[in-house]
Amino acid sequence: MMLTEETAIADAALPVDQFKAHLRLGTGFAEDNLQDDVLKGFLRAAIAAIEARTGKVLIERNFSWCVSIWRDPAGEVLPVAPVQSIGDVTLTDASGTDTLVDASAYRLERDSQRPRLRPAALTLPAIATGGSVTIAFAAGMAGDWGGLPADLAQAVLLLAAHYYEYRDETALGDGCMPFGVTSLIQRYRMVRFGAGVGQ
């Protein structure tokens, strides 16, 4: 399995001015924008960390997901949520020849935790031995920063500020995330129920 982010979050979509205000950085100086690239980096890192922790894509963008076998031919769970639309589904055989699957053969089953690619018939199209399937889709909770839930937006700012303040710190443990951030994102984390979770 391989998930690829086909489009990145545009610089214009990052809340740099809000982040500056959150950090209480001075304004009105000739070099106000001197740190913008650094701040964007911390915002991107915070967004990526929160997306990894929750399994949710915050700002909408395009992805492709390649698998060599269906885990469930009756409905494949997609790797992130929420999925807004399915683009192309492309079968690739062992020799590398691509075949576009007709859009009438599948549909998106929307779900805030576990969206699925469902077949129109009983099962999804067969993947040839040694082949694969690539699913192109758009996912994201909001089209831009202003559309994000307030708690997630605040979590991003808090975590980015944490990265900024401790940018020279090397003693923090792996996966360190401030308590305030974990509290804000807790309700968005995927709930797992055991062996039958994929059903």
Side-chain angles (χ1 to χ4, degrees), residues 2-164:
M2 184 169 63
L3 178 66
T4 303
E5 186 176 319
E6 300 291 350
T7 55
I9 299 172
D11 282 354
L14 295 171
V16 176
D17 289 338
Q18 281 181 256
F19 190 31
K20 287 179 180 178
H22 181 83
L23 293 172
R24 298 180 181 173
L25 296 181
T27 60
F29 301 101
E31 298 180 340
D32 272 357
N33 299 328
L34 188 62
Q35 290 197 72
D36 281 8
D37 287 342
V38 173
L39 299 179
K40 288 173 187 175
F42 287 124
L43 285 167
R44 288 184 189 281
I47 289 169
I50 289 171
E51 288 182 342
R53 191 68 69 96
T54 62
K56 306 292 185 300
V57 178
L58 302 188
I59 304 295
E60 187 172 333
R61 49 203 191 275
N62 296 327
F63 296 84
S64 63
W65 190 45
C66 183
V67 297
S68 57
I69 187 171
W70 298 119
R71 288 175 294 184
D72 182 358
E76 185 73 6
V77 176
L78 298 168
V80 293
V83 172
Q84 301 300 331
S85 62
I86 300 290
D88 294 335
V89 175
T90 307
L91 292 168
T92 305
D93 64 20
S95 66
T97 302
D98 292 337
T99 303
L100 198 63
V101 178
D102 192 285
S104 64
Y106 56 85
R107 63 182 174 83
L108 170 63
E109 180 179 277
R110 295 177 183 275
D111 188 280
S112 63
Q113 296 283 352
R114 303 176 65 79
R116 293 176 189 257
L117 180 71
R118 288 283 193 190
L122 294 177
T123 61
L124 292 165
I127 301 172
T129 302
S132 63
V133 63
T134 301
I135 304 161
F137 62 92
M141 298 186 76
D144 56 32
W145 180 260
L148 277 180
D151 49 0
L152 282 178
Q154 183 65 18
V156 169
L157 294 177
L158 285 173
L159 186 56
H162 179 77
Y163 290 158
Y164 180 85

